[in-house]
Amino acid sequence: MAKNLILWLIIAAVLLAVFNKLETSTPSQEVNYSQFIQHVQVGEVKKVTISGSLIEGVFDNGTRFETVSPGYDASLMDELLRNKVEVQGKKAEQQSIWTQLLVASFPILVIIAVFMFFMRQMQGGGGGGRGPMAFGKSKAKLLGEDQIKTTFADVAGCDEAKEDVKELVEFLRDPAKYQRLGGKIPRGVLMVGQPGTGKTLLAKAIAGEAKVPFFSISGSDFVEMFVGVGASRVRDMFDQAKKQAPCIIFIDEIDAVGRSRGIGIGGGNDEREQTLNQLLVEMDGFEVNDGIIVIAATNRPDVLDPALLRPGRFDRQVVVGLPDIRGREQILKVHMRKVPVSDDVDAKVIARGTPGFSGADLANLVNEAALFAARANRSTVSMEEFEKAKDKIMMGAERKTMVMSDKEKTNTAYHEAGHAIVGRCVPEHDPVYKVSIIPRGRALGVTMFLPEEDRHSISKLGIESAICSLYGGRIAEEMTLGKDGVTTGASNDIERATAYARNYVTKWGLSEKLGAQLYSEREEQSYLGSSGGGNASHLSEETARMIDQEVTLLLENCYAKAKKILEDNRDKLEVMKDALMEYETIDAKQIDDIMDGRKPRAPQSWSSDDNGKGDAGNAPQAKVDVAADQTPDTGANNTVSEP
């Protein structure tokens, strides 16, 4: 900065001197040499100054002139003296040695300046560190303490996680409080949780509360095609952090660079392992990085290298889980501050009807509701818009332009009614919330089940009931259309029922014949954390045959149980089909009317009194299908009919 200022001052001084010289100089009249001689001969020239071939002078009237001698003229001096012209001689100006040197070296200086400019651009000096030569420079973005406005007040639904990280804030504010007792703050904090639970937001809140510089980078920013680049970036990032200490380094999706060594491709010298090794050294090596706290986030802690998780590196793991009903209410209130909501909107009612929702899901819910209100040209967001938003998120947007024949529509109504009736009758099943034959997303119809409360596990009887309800649609088609009229709409149901049954036997240890033993491959053994899709290589042929027999027996028993329920409620199946054909969508109260043998009431608009009291099953919400190869979570269950 100082060098640039001096350079501009020199340029300004030179320009000022040139302009002053131009302003002070008086314009001269140019005459040729013949005219000059004539003026001398008639006595009109008063004074001349001769400098080589250049002759400058003044006429009698005061006008200045100049001319150039074409060659040496021996008679000129006699002519000037004869006519009494005052003659002065002037020494020819010669450039100084510095001026000559500057003029001679100017082209070379220009070439050097251009070369340095392009080299600086390539190294990222003029492009924010993104030049092609800036391979080893860190891509971490530095946010100053005044740039981070997020605080713990903006983070809701994860009170336990906030308590775990609050002492980090206290340490960054007053490190002497811990150091005088010999305590050491964790060098690294690993935030673990499902996508959308607020791990990144919580890290920003820590930096916002502590008022310290915040370096943000993604794990993928370290990995390049050239070996050693990632390690260089790690070194550069920690070098920058040391200059800003105390500070926070936040690495998002650290599993991109922290995956266990030895399971990648390329052996022990690939780029990812070199980067991980450098990260391990920087976090706990010979050099001490006091005042630097590394916070990382991942939703795959199972694939991280053990050396990264040991004490001294990531000393503490903070689990940022899905919020419970109270947490969802708090998150909704945070997001509702940004939109004008009506008086009928009750965050508690919405929270009770959204089990399994993450913070990102709830933020999307509020945003979709605001968009619905804007389309309707309303000044506030009412509960009606929130209900429409939840249906759109969970079931997909309505495909109003899709044309369905009466036959296909009737078949879909039978299919969804079969799901609803079986789900209503089997024990330990989530209550039926809504049945619709309006095409949404890729589904021709949807049956939604809503749990009465947050759950973290499911019983053996509950799994069997879930399989029964999945088969309800297929059985209803078979009962009404015959075996030859069964459609492909139950493909998703069959896939999920089979996955449930196989996990029932091989993973959850619920088969009495095979016992509580794991027969499936562990997910961590595959490269990308998936099950691989193949058969378990460690099983004998006899064991594999027994597993297939147990899975088949379970599915057959559940199928028979669901068929018996529909046969006993054949009249209700017809009534529910007629209600779906008339209203297209029926809710829990209409389903209760049908199951109690009454005529279903006409659909009514939503009101807080209807959903704020009574069974939680009446609260209008469902969530995305639970993956059948995982332990069922707290969410509601959807059963869809595919085209």
Side-chain angles (χ1 to χ4, degrees), residues 407 411 474 477-489:
K407 179 180 179 181
N411 180 50
R474 167 66 176 257
E477 290 185 14
E478 184 178 331
M479 290 174 58
T480 56
L481 304 176
K483 292 186 177 181
D484 294 335
V486 173
T487 67
T488 60

Side-chain angles (χ1 to χ4, degrees), residues 324-599:
D324 55 13
I325 181 171
R326 187 181 64 176
R328 293 194 297 272
E329 180 183 357
Q330 295 172 351
I331 294 173
L332 284 169
K333 289 180 178 179
V334 170
H335 293 295
M336 286 180 180
R337 298 175 194 162
K338 305 174 184 178
V339 297
V341 295
S342 303
D343 295 335
D344 66 334
V345 176
D346 190 346
K348 186 174 182 179
V349 173
I350 301 175
R352 187 166 52 84
T354 52
F357 269 46
S358 66
D361 294 330
L362 295 172
N364 187 36
L365 172 65
V366 175
N367 181 64
E368 289 290 343
L371 295 178
F372 273 113
R375 294 190 193 106
N377 296 321
R378 297 184 178 180
S379 58
T380 59
V381 184
S382 66
M383 202 68 177
E384 182 180 355
E385 280 75 42
F386 278 100
E387 299 310 315
K388 291 181 180 179
K390 287 188 288 186
D391 287 346
K392 178 181 179 181
I393 293 173
M394 293 301 97
M395 298 185 296
E398 294 184 359
R399 300 163 62 186
K400 297 181 180 180
T401 58
M402 183 176 181
V403 179
M404 294 176 59
S405 63
D406 291 340
K407 179 180 179 181
E408 193 169 25
K409 196 172 182 179
T410 301
N411 180 50
T412 303
Y414 275 124
H415 184 105
E416 301 305 331
H419 284 308
I421 292 174
V422 175
R424 183 71 160 69
C425 296
V426 291
E428 294 194 19
H429 197 283
D430 296 332
V432 184
Y433 151 60
K434 182 181 289 186
V435 183
S436 175
I437 60 172
I438 299 176
R440 291 176 178 267
R442 295 186 302 169
L444 297 179
V446 181
T447 301
M448 295 183 293
F449 302 92
L450 181 72
E452 294 181 343
E453 58 186 7
D454 290 341
R455 290 180 310 162
H456 304 282
S457 61
I458 187 171
S459 66
K460 176 180 178 181
L461 184 59
I463 296 174
E464 295 175 355
S465 297
I467 297 175
C468 290
S469 66
L470 287 169
Y471 278 132
R474 167 66 176 257
I475 297 171
E477 290 185 14
E478 184 178 331
M479 290 174 58
T480 56
L481 304 176
K483 292 186 177 181
D484 294 335
V486 173
T487 67
T488 60
S491 61
N492 176 260
D493 302 330
I494 296 173
E495 178 184 355
R496 293 175 59 199
T498 304
Y500 268 123
R502 186 159 293 276
N503 285 329
Y504 179 100
V505 174
T506 63
K507 188 174 182 180
W508 298 328
L510 300 178
S511 170
E512 295 182 0
K513 186 175 182 180
L514 293 174
Q517 183 176 344
L518 179 67
Y519 293 96
S520 61
E521 293 280 3
R522 291 183 59 83
E523 294 181 357
E524 296 81 10
Q525 293 178 354
S526 58
Y527 177 58
L528 292 178
S530 60
S531 59
N535 294 327
S537 57
H538 64 285
L539 297 180
S540 65
E541 293 184 2
E542 181 180 356
T543 303
R545 187 180 301 107
M546 292 174 59
I547 291 174
D548 291 339
Q549 292 174 352
E550 284 292 290
V551 170
T552 302
L553 180 62
L554 174 62
L555 293 176
E556 289 177 349
N557 291 339
C558 292
Y559 192 94
K561 186 186 297 184
K563 187 173 183 180
K564 179 68 166 55
I565 292 173
L566 285 179
E567 288 175 347
D568 295 341
N569 294 274
R570 178 61 185 266
D571 56 336
K572 297 180 177 62
L573 178 66
E574 295 293 338
V575 174
M576 191 173 295
K577 182 269 296 182
D578 294 337
L580 287 171
M581 293 295 292
E582 180 179 359
Y583 302 123
E584 291 188 328
T585 300
I586 57 177
D587 58 18
K589 291 188 176 182
Q590 293 171 295
I591 294 173
D592 290 340
D593 292 339
I594 294 173
M595 298 306 295
D596 292 339
R598 301 189 301 269
K599 181 180 179 181

Side-chain angles (χ1 to χ4, degrees), residues 190 192 254 280 298 301-317:
L190 181 65
V192 180
I254 195 175
L280 297 176
T298 182
D302 53 310
V303 302
L304 295 180
D305 194 280
L308 196 63
L309 302 178
R310 73 158 176 82
R313 291 188 176 118
F314 284 107
D315 310 78
R316 182 176 301 178
Q317 292 191 22

Side-chain angles (χ1 to χ4, degrees), residues 109-152:
L109 293 176
V110 171
I111 295 174
I112 294 176
V114 172
F115 177 77
M116 292 180 64
F117 172 78
F118 282 106
M119 284 297 296
R120 187 170 180 268
Q121 290 295 112
M122 294 177 67
Q123 292 178 359
R130 302 297 181 184
M133 298 296 293
F135 293 124
K137 298 296 182 181
S138 172
K139 294 186 177 182
K141 297 179 181 178
L142 173 61
L143 300 177
E145 55 187 63
D146 298 331
Q147 295 178 266
I148 304 175
K149 306 299 182 182
T150 306
T151 63
F152 284 141

